Amino acid sequence: QVQLVESGGGLVQPGGSLRLSCSASIFTKDTYAIGWLRQAPGKEREGVSCMTTWSTSTYYLDSVKGRFTISRDNIKGTVYLQMNGLKPEDTARYYCAAYTRENSHYCPEDYGMDFLGKGTLVTVSS
């Protein structure tokens, strides 16, 4: 059974940085698109970023462009989301999702994923 395990969340002050990690054995294979999603309290889950390993293209939600960077280490089987310039509105539970190549066009929408982690909580507050 495939498990996606997120880590790196925590409490940070506005303007601070965090790096989220998502590990899974399937990431050592370049057949998945990997997305980061988030769900703020009282809101629907939304896609934040996506990348594939068979192209150089990436996607970012407009509100995080220039602040967040997605990357992956195929050898370690880990995907990262570097978050800089954090704002209180970035407070949410962040999830990692994997989409097969056939479903990669959904990435990072909150549907169409083949696997979803349990999330890690990010709180931005002074």
Side-chain angles (χ1 to χ4, degrees), residues 48-62:
V48 174
S49 183
C50 178
M51 72 179 305
T52 69
T53 54
W54 54 86
S55 76
T56 58
S57 64
T58 56
Y59 163 85
Y60 295 97
L61 185 67
D62 282 347

Side-chain angles (χ1 to χ4, degrees), residues 55-122:
S55 76
T56 58
S57 64
T58 56
Y59 163 85
Y60 295 97
L61 185 67
D62 282 347
S63 61
V64 307
K65 284 181 180 176
R67 301 188 296 122
F68 290 11
T69 303
I70 189 171
S71 62
R72 68 188 288 165
D73 185 327
N74 283 355
I75 296 176
K76 293 183 178 180
T78 302
V79 175
Y80 304 98
L81 185 68
Q82 178 66 45
M83 306 187 296
N84 299 327
L86 283 162
K87 304 176 181 180
E89 52 263 43
D90 294 319
T91 294
R93 177 168 288 275
Y94 284 72
Y95 299 85
C96 173
Y99 307 72
T100 59
R101 192 155 186 166
E102 292 75 18
N103 292 330
S104 62
H105 56 283
Y106 293 118
C107 184
E109 299 292 343
D110 190 23
Y111 50 84
M113 70 277 285
D114 294 271
F115 306 103
L116 182 68
K118 295 182 179 180
T120 185
L121 184 62
V122 172

